[in-house]
Amino acid sequence: MRWKRFAVGLAVAGVVASGTSCSGAPPAAPQQPAAASRLDQVVQRGELRVCSTGDYRPFTYRDASGAWSGIDIDMAHDMAAKLGVKATIVPTTWKTLVADFTARCDIAVGGVSITLERARHAFFSTAYVVDGKTPITRCENAARFQTLAQIDQPGVRAIVNPGGTNEQFARQHLTRATIVEHPDNNTIFQEIIDGRADLMMTDAAETRWQAKQHPELCSVHPDQPFTFSEKAYLLPKGDVVFQQWVNQWLNLALHDGTYARIAQPWIG
């Protein structure tokens, strides 16, 4: 009988100890709801807000009437169609691109170069164009401007559109040549044709397209540019869900003929 009472006492003590231990454990933290992805927000809103500068053909162009065109403008409309929403193009400038994108847009398109500075503030999609800076000049001057050393000479006028990677590259590499700012990238090449500037250093894709439009201009070694860069789409920082969806859409477009069909009228 004494042994039975001792065993019962141990069992009761164990229950009490167990209960004390459980009641002393910290309560489980409430599970935080997952943050909504921009992907869901775009679908719910019924609208994809697309920032673009409208001044960088063949990727983006806005004419005097306000009509938009270009490879990336058409690609943005294709993306919106795949999401079942409409695309609204939001004008921006190269100087205000990141700030405008962060405040007003879901994606930024139009020949946006991947840079470490931009990557501090936003995500990028997979790159879809490999490019680099190279000169464009009047054809009679092409032999004069083959190297940076030839370009960086007193009396040479290198024209730039303010705020983007073209200006950054020129100011980094030109110390003796004169840098001329021109605010309108749609008319900047006419400045070279008319003799108010000697050359511009911009992305090889743009020099090829502009040389096709203006027989007076020649792209200087576009297959061997001074730099390496890639084009991609600017996306909201931290939103991996939206980034992965855009990358999947872009991968399909690059391999099922969509990108080639859209680009063909611009680059052949």
Side-chain angles (χ1 to χ4, degrees), residues 146-239:
Q146 294 288 312
T147 68
L148 282 170
Q150 289 176 312
I151 294 169
D152 191 21
Q153 295 295 328
V156 174
R157 299 160 300 169
I159 197 164
V160 300
N161 52 317
T165 57
N166 291 338
E167 181 185 20
Q168 294 169 12
F169 180 79
R171 295 196 183 282
Q172 180 181 357
H173 293 281
L174 303 183
T175 59
R176 294 182 291 176
T178 300
I179 296 176
V180 180
E181 290 191 16
H182 186 77
D184 184 0
N185 203 46
N186 284 322
T187 61
I188 200 168
F189 299 95
Q190 192 63 43
E191 297 295 296
I192 303 172
I193 294 170
D194 293 342
R196 290 185 287 273
D198 296 307
L199 76 151
M200 179 181 182
M201 290 183 291
T202 185
D203 296 316
E206 185 176 34
T207 66
R208 285 190 180 100
W209 192 86
Q210 291 292 342
K212 282 180 62 178
Q213 312 310 307
H214 305 288
E216 307 94 328
L217 299 179
C218 282
S219 175
V220 181
H221 52 63
D223 294 325
Q224 296 179 306
F226 295 139
T227 63
F228 166 83
S229 68
E230 294 177 309
K231 306 293 186 193
Y233 300 133
L234 207 61
L235 300 169
K237 184 178 180 180
D239 195 335

Side-chain angles (χ1 to χ4, degrees), residues 74-101:
D74 288 344
M75 286 290 287
H77 282 287
D78 181 81
M79 182 192 303
K82 295 296 194 301
L83 288 169
V85 302
K86 68 175 183 178
T88 299
I89 312 300
V90 180
T92 185
T93 68
W94 291 112
K95 196 167 187 176
T96 62
L97 173 64
V98 172
D100 288 343
F101 162 72

